[in-house]
Amino acid sequence: EAWLKFEFPSPEIVNEYQIFPTQSNKHWTILFDYMPTDFIFQASHDDSTWVDLDSRTGQVIPDITALGSEYIDRGWIRTLNNNTEPWQDATRLKYQISNGTAYKYYRLFITKTRGQNNTYNPNGHNIAVGELLLSYNQMSPGGTWSIKGNPIQSLNIQENGGFGSKSIDFNSTGSRIAIGEPHLSNNATGTIYVFDFIVDWTPVGFPIIGGTNENLGDSVLLTGDGNRVAAAGAGIGANKVRIFDISNNVFTNTVSFNGESNCKIGENNSLAISANGDTIAYAGRHFNNNIGYVEVKKHSDRGWKRKGQQIFGEIDRHNNGHDLGLNGLELSSDGNRLVISCSNYNRIGKVKIYDYNTNSGKWVYVSTIYSSNKEWFPAALDGGYGKFGYGLSCNNSATTIAICGSGIK
């Protein structure tokens, strides 16, 4: 037995590994017989306790070749054992594995080599690996998706609970998930459940319970590390954004932000959070006769303070308010770019972009994104609603934005 170990500077996700043979013009057959055939690919957080991510036996060249060309880089051909066994210069063993957890240590634990050459490696005691390549590949459109663990069910199953129907969010590695259960048909407290993937999905601490008639869980977000939850409700007792931080495996409400009068801030995914959780943005679409406003909070050693000025909506010709931030509010991962939807503006919709200026301490307007159809057609003329911006997503820097137009006609 032997192992080849790699230590990353910081934890990384690996979902593919490749084993290359050593290459020698003079003693190719010797090194070929030193290649491992049985091995376990393992990972560890602390270089002490190891988790098996993949296990293989009998990995010889004819078996790998039979799997298809996607498993082999076809370089120029060498021949071995008197031209009876083809081998290719760039051939490698390549394995994709299911792993969504970031580890600091990975190793290839070898239990057996080919060892069939009686002259050079009769007992298989000599081992040679030319290169061990570890990588992370995102799923391609042609890839295969598999279910991770058993389906997650509410711990309090009831009619119209709305478990996961309004809000659901992962941490950055996909190992922790937060699910809202706001209760859809009545005013209730609302509940948020958090689960960790440990062999299967396991509850973290106790469920998070909302206040009276709050319907907490209408909006739920997790930070990148999964240790902070931002949430809001949509009930008659709502109008606050709550922050929950984990301690001793229990999420506790550490701060709440109250909205302007009768705004129900943060409802219906009008809530955003930076990657590290130190910046929170929320919208209150009902403010000032449905003109609406957006506010950003920033956490520092002095606690939570407002970041920049409040951003207000505009009066439109439809005069019904333009649903500022409703199901469409995003922050860049560093919390310095703000993307706000105005999905009911003039019954068409638009999306506005702001950047935070550290010198002035204010949010600065950058640009507006419109739908390709900027015309408004009254209902009397068989017109409809564009609702451009009712549904947003962006990359980490908020330089690429996906926008949904969910209206009718």
Side-chain angles (χ1 to χ4, degrees):
E1 295 180 346
W3 48 259
L4 179 62
K5 182 177 69 177
F6 189 86
E7 176 185 356
F8 282 101
S10 59
E12 299 284 351
I13 300 176
V14 171
N15 61 10
E16 181 180 276
Y17 69 102
Q18 303 175 49
I19 307 171
F20 290 79
T22 47
Q23 302 184 30
S24 170
N25 291 328
K26 293 183 178 180
H27 302 293
W28 183 261
T29 55
I30 302 174
L31 302 182
F32 178 64
D33 288 330
Y34 292 175
M35 278 287 288
T37 59
D38 297 11
F39 44 86
I40 306 170
F41 186 61
Q42 301 175 310
S44 174
H45 294 296
D46 57 7
D47 197 21
S48 177
T49 302
W50 293 88
V51 177
D52 294 349
L53 300 180
D54 191 43
S55 179
R56 304 280 173 167
T57 60
Q59 300 300 291
V60 294
I61 298 308
D63 294 341
I64 298 301
T65 304
L67 291 177
S69 59
E70 68 271 20
Y71 286 84
I72 296 175
D73 268 353
R74 297 189 177 277
W76 55 280
I77 295 177
R78 293 182 184 273
T79 57
L80 305 172
N81 299 337
N82 297 320
N83 295 326
T84 61
E85 186 171 14
W87 179 260
Q88 290 150 333
D89 190 48
T91 304
R92 75 269 182 114
L93 310 183
K94 177 180 179 182
Y95 306 99
Q96 291 183 341
I97 59 175
S98 177
N99 176 42
T101 302
Y103 293 96
K104 186 175 177 65
Y105 303 91
Y106 292 89
R107 75 180 181 185
L108 183 71
F109 191 85
I110 302 167
T111 57
K112 185 180 178 181
T113 65
R114 178 174 174 134
Q116 70 180 34
N117 190 310
N118 292 328
T119 303
Y120 298 112
N121 199 19
N123 299 313
H125 292 164
N126 297 319
I127 302 173
V129 172
E131 181 179 348
L132 176 63
L133 177 63
L134 311 182
S135 57
Y136 170 73
N137 290 322
Q138 292 182 327
M139 182 68 69
S140 64
T144 300
W145 291 87
S146 60
I147 296 176
K148 182 172 183 176
N150 290 308
I152 305 172
Q153 292 187 336
S154 168
L155 303 180
N156 183 28
I157 298 174
Q158 58 183 288
E159 184 178 357
N160 292 320
F163 182 69
S165 64
K166 297 295 292 292
S167 58
I168 186 168
D169 198 27
F170 273 122
N171 66 346
S172 61
T173 63
S175 60
R176 175 168 289 178
I177 189 171
I179 306 172
E181 188 178 53
H183 305 281
L184 302 180
S185 61
N186 58 356
N187 287 295
T189 58
T191 308
I192 299 169
Y193 301 94
V194 183
F195 297 84
D196 277 353
F197 189 78
I198 307 171
V199 181
D200 202 354
W201 294 105
T202 304
V204 176
F206 303 104
I208 299 171
I209 308 298
T212 303
N213 295 330
E214 187 176 3
N215 292 90
L216 186 70
D218 194 67
S219 302
V220 175
L221 293 173
L222 271 174
T223 52
D225 62 9
N227 292 330
R228 173 168 287 171
V229 173
I236 60 174
N239 197 27
K240 60 175 66 72
V241 169
R242 296 181 181 269
I243 304 298
F244 300 86
D245 291 316
I246 195 167
S247 177
N248 297 322
N249 210 41
V250 175
F251 279 96
T252 303
N253 187 192
T254 52
V255 67
S256 297
F257 307 120
N258 294 315
E260 302 288 350
S261 179
N262 299 318
C263 281
K264 292 186 181 179
I265 58 170
E267 67 169 334
N268 201 352
N269 297 311
S270 56
L271 180 64
I273 191 169
S274 62
N276 66 1
D278 70 356
T279 305
I280 305 287
Y282 50 83
R285 63 175 174 135
H286 299 297
F287 175 73
N288 193 12
N289 293 321
N290 297 321
I291 287 179
Y293 80 104
V294 171
E295 188 166 54
V296 182
K297 297 286 188 177
K298 168 79 172 178
H299 185 264
S300 67
D301 295 339
R302 294 177 292 175
W304 290 91
K305 303 292 183 182
R306 192 170 76 188
K307 180 176 180 176
Q309 77 281 19
Q310 290 180 326
I311 299 173
F312 300 103
E314 308 160 61
I315 298 176
D316 67 356
R317 58 188 175 186
H318 193 46
N319 292 323
N320 282 339
H322 50 267
D323 292 343
L324 188 73
L326 187 69
N327 202 40
L329 187 66
E330 291 281 344
L331 275 171
S332 58
S333 61
D334 63 4
N336 289 325
R337 171 162 285 190
L338 188 59
V339 183
I340 308 172
S341 74
C342 314
S343 60
N344 199 40
Y345 182 76
N346 286 340
R347 294 183 20 153
I348 301 166
K350 61 183 179 179
V351 174
K352 302 186 74 173
I353 318 296
Y354 294 83
D355 281 348
Y356 184 72
N357 186 300
T358 55
N359 293 325
S360 65
K362 294 183 178 295
W363 292 99
V364 178
Y365 168 75
V366 176
S367 60
T368 300
I369 305 173
Y370 294 97
S371 166
S372 57
N373 179 9
K374 293 189 287 185
E375 294 299 321
W376 172 60
F377 300 97
L381 300 179
D382 198 32
Y385 294 82
K387 282 198 170 299
F388 183 69
Y390 191 80
L392 281 182
S393 186
C394 65
N395 65 344
N396 285 338
S397 60
T399 54
T400 301
I401 305 171
I403 305 173
C404 175
S406 68
I408 59 173
K409 299 183 180 179

